[in-house]
Amino acid sequence: MTEMPIELVAQDLNAIGYIETAAYLKWVQAVVIKHWERFASEAAQASTLWIAVKHVISHQAAGHASDALVARTQIKKLKGVRALFVTTVSNGETRLVDIESTWVCLDSITKLPKALDPDVVRLFVETGAS
């Protein structure tokens, strides 16, 4: 699992002071990439891009400007060129959102889908899932 503290900025809030859904998506993208960078070798990072193709957001509680937020992500499934990440954004013990996102692995040069090397998969999933 990878954790990332979140710093709210004014643009993350809507007119009534709640966190905008788009802000949650921005943070999911950041924590998933941080997760990849944490576990993948420099060579794997240089040869691979990750593109989000689907996000499913389940709001649990409203987020506010005064919240101390943390995003946490882990891989739920990795098969072929696709990975399913599960991310939560919380304020202390209060879960604000649960987000399942599907990502596709691309070759950094051709920009075409590519399967990860089995050694990278093993390291990415085994060390990144807990």
Side-chain angles (χ1 to χ4, degrees), residues 20-40:
E20 288 281 5
T21 299
Y24 289 115
L25 294 177
K26 173 179 67 172
W27 301 328
V28 167
Q29 300 233 155
V31 74
V32 166
I33 296 302
K34 181 177 180 177
H35 185 80
W36 167 247
E37 292 171 346
R38 180 176 168 209
F39 294 107

Side-chain angles (χ1 to χ4, degrees), residues 55-91:
H55 295 294
V56 177
I57 302 173
S58 298
H59 290 269
Q60 306 298 325
H64 305 88
S66 61
D67 291 348
L69 303 177
V70 175
R72 292 177 182 87
T73 198
Q74 65 183 32
I75 296 174
K76 185 173 182 180
K77 182 178 180 182
L78 178 61
K79 184 175 181 184
V81 300
R82 291 184 178 263
L84 177 63
F85 283 84
V86 177
T87 304
T88 60
V89 177
S90 301
N91 175 30

Side-chain angles (χ1 to χ4, degrees), residues 72-118:
R72 292 177 182 87
T73 198
Q74 65 183 32
I75 296 174
K76 185 173 182 180
K77 182 178 180 182
L78 178 61
K79 184 175 181 184
V81 300
R82 291 184 178 263
L84 177 63
F85 283 84
V86 177
T87 304
T88 60
V89 177
S90 301
N91 175 30
E93 296 297 316
T94 304
R95 256 186 17 244
L96 303 180
V97 295
D98 296 319
I99 304 164
E100 286 195 355
S101 55
T102 303
W103 293 67
V104 173
C105 180
L106 303 178
D107 181 279
S108 64
I109 295 171
T110 66
K111 310 299 190 268
L112 296 173
K114 76 167 191 174
L116 293 173
D117 178 273

Side-chain angles (χ1 to χ4, degrees), residues 7 9 61 95 99 123:
E7 187 172 326
V9 295
R95 256 186 17 244
I99 304 164
L123 177 65

